Amino acid sequence: MLYSGGTILSIIEVPAAILQMNTIFISILIEALPFVLIGVFIAGIIQIFVTESHIKRCLPKNRYLAIVSSCFIGACFPACECGIVPIVRRLLGKGVPIYAGIGFMLTGPLINPMVILSTYMAFGNNLNMAISRMIIGFVLALMIAFIVSCFFRSNHLKIPAHFGQEHHDGHGHHSLMYKLKDTVMHAIDEFFDIGKFLIVGALLAAFVQTFLSAEVLIDLGGGTASSTAVMMALAYLLSLCSEADAFIGVSFQHLFPPAAILSFLIYGPMLDLKNTMMMLSVFKARFVFVLLIVITVVVYGGMIIIQTLA
């Protein structure tokens, strides 16, 4: 204990690893929170201003056309993998088929304009890497959504008691102020529903980044198959924001082939540790684990085929 000016100052030795973990945890939250806030606000707008009839008119009835349309819409939609989850939750609650929701959820964080621009800049204005990420990512997202459509038809949401039973959802009010107020209220509810899982996911990701040595994984990535698996594992564990992951991916260029780097850039926005936690808060656990397996197998298998043919 130190006594200074009548104030007792306690000196507590905090391990350096804990301080590093705390720094990483806070940085992940700071990076993700703006996108989550944007996402929950858009989710609130969807809940109040978008009706089931609007969706039915805009979305093709044909399953395959609906998947393609949702992937194209997602590709044009600037959303992070954290912010996209509450948006998809609301869309599914409004009647969007699960396969269309998944197509939107996969392409939104992966190949939206901001992500492609950041990829182009991170790789030294390399247009090939940016285009490869966009085209290959889009094709793999289509494949995943098609597979999901073969096995799942219901939305598989974890529906709280109040979800879908809001009697004050704003559709009965003619005043714009009422609707805006309800939009904000829904956004706040959505934020607290999703936010706690974001915090848990960020904490786990910070723990992994602090105590799991990247060098150990890099040592395992000697061959084509293993380098792809290592980069996908890194993408999942690091839980980077899709707008910034290219700047990390480029640092591995001297260690792994371009296809392995590309697997890092494609897999991470589709699936990582923190958005897995968020999906578990929205979807039934069985669906999340099946989706995790499908995404992993399709991305890994697709990238191995591409490396074989290259």
Side-chain angles (χ1 to χ4, degrees), residues 11-165:
I11 299 178
I12 303 175
E13 291 292 336
V14 180
I18 299 299
L19 293 175
Q20 181 184 357
M21 178 178 166
N22 181 64
T23 301
I24 295 172
F25 169 68
I26 293 173
S27 67
I28 292 174
L29 284 184
I30 291 174
E31 186 179 55
L33 277 175
F35 297 100
V36 175
L37 290 171
I38 292 170
V40 297
F41 187 71
I42 293 174
I45 293 174
I46 291 171
Q47 179 65 17
I48 300 303
F49 290 94
V50 179
T51 66
E52 289 82 350
S53 60
H54 291 149
I55 293 172
K56 288 179 181 177
R57 286 198 299 267
C58 296
L59 199 65
K61 293 183 179 180
N62 181 277
R63 177 174 42 144
Y64 304 109
L65 290 178
I67 291 172
V68 174
S69 298
S70 68
C71 288
F72 271 112
I73 294 171
C76 300
F77 198 88
C80 182
E81 62 270 17
C82 300
I84 201 76
V85 174
I87 298 173
V88 171
R89 179 191 192 187
R90 287 296 172 184
L91 288 173
L92 294 178
K94 288 286 186 178
V96 170
I98 184 69
Y99 43 82
I102 293 302
F104 180 81
M105 188 174 74
L106 294 179
T107 56
L110 174 60
I111 53 177
N112 71 66
M114 290 300 298
V115 170
I116 298 306
L117 178 61
S118 69
T119 305
Y120 173 75
M121 295 175 61
F123 285 85
N125 299 337
N126 184 343
L127 193 59
N128 289 335
M129 183 60 77
I131 292 177
S132 296
R133 183 180 195 178
M134 181 171 61
I135 295 176
I136 296 173
F138 186 84
V139 171
L140 294 178
L142 278 176
M143 292 174 61
I144 293 165
F146 282 135
I147 293 171
V148 168
S149 73
C150 294
F151 293 99
F152 300 100
R153 295 300 172 91
S154 63
N155 61 36
H156 287 272
L157 289 172
K158 282 183 176 177
I159 306 179
H162 65 275
F163 191 85
Q165 296 181 350

